Amino acid sequence: QVQLVESGGGLVQAGGSLRVSCAASGSILSISTMGWYRQAPGKQRELVADISSGGSTNYADSVKGRFTISRDNAKNTVDLQMNMLKPGDTAAYYCKAAIRSRPGGLNIYYWGRGTQVTVSS
């Protein structure tokens, strides 16, 4: 069994910063891509940023230059540092990871339950 648990969301004023973290635990042999997605009310879930096991990153255009994704492979964690936050960044933020649990097994995508980020104007 694998679990992803997010933490660090909250309420912040526009222009402020927040850091959200995600920790993977359970039956983990290896983790390839880890990422953050967000979903605002009435909108589809969208990719915010992801990072490969080797550290290659990918960002949505809307967050480039403001958000930074990082991971600690030894701790199975992925963080998202969010700076210069805007009201449009308000959403539930979800962690996603591709995890292999046994030798020769496939990578399976797991999701966390989400953490709310609210940016006030």
Side-chain angles (χ1 to χ4, degrees):
Q1 195 77 339
V2 172
Q3 275 192 321
L4 299 181
V5 178
E6 301 100 336
S7 61
L11 173 65
V12 65
Q13 286 188 333
S17 297
L18 274 178
R19 187 178 186 91
V20 290
S21 299
C22 172
S25 63
S27 181
I28 298 172
L29 181 63
S30 63
I31 304 177
S32 57
T33 302
M34 302 185 83
W36 286 95
Y37 289 70
R38 67 187 181 187
Q39 187 168 17
K43 295 188 176 181
Q44 288 191 331
R45 192 171 296 188
E46 63 177 3
L47 173 70
V48 177
D50 61 24
I51 182 168
S52 71
S53 57
S56 297
T57 58
N58 176 46
Y59 294 92
D61 288 343
S62 59
V63 306
K64 282 180 181 176
R66 300 188 297 123
F67 291 11
T68 302
I69 190 170
S70 61
R71 65 187 283 175
D72 185 327
N73 291 333
K75 296 181 179 179
N76 293 332
T77 59
V78 60
D79 293 345
L80 185 68
Q81 176 66 41
M82 302 180 288
N83 299 327
M84 295 183 286
L85 282 159
K86 304 174 182 180
D89 295 317
T90 296
Y93 283 70
Y94 298 89
C95 175
K96 179 182 179 182
I99 296 174
R100 181 173 301 179
S101 296
R102 56 183 177 85
L106 298 175
N107 280 327
I108 297 175
Y109 284 99
Y110 294 88
W111 289 91
R113 292 187 174 185
T115 184
Q116 180 66 33
V117 171
T118 302
V119 184
S120 63
S121 57

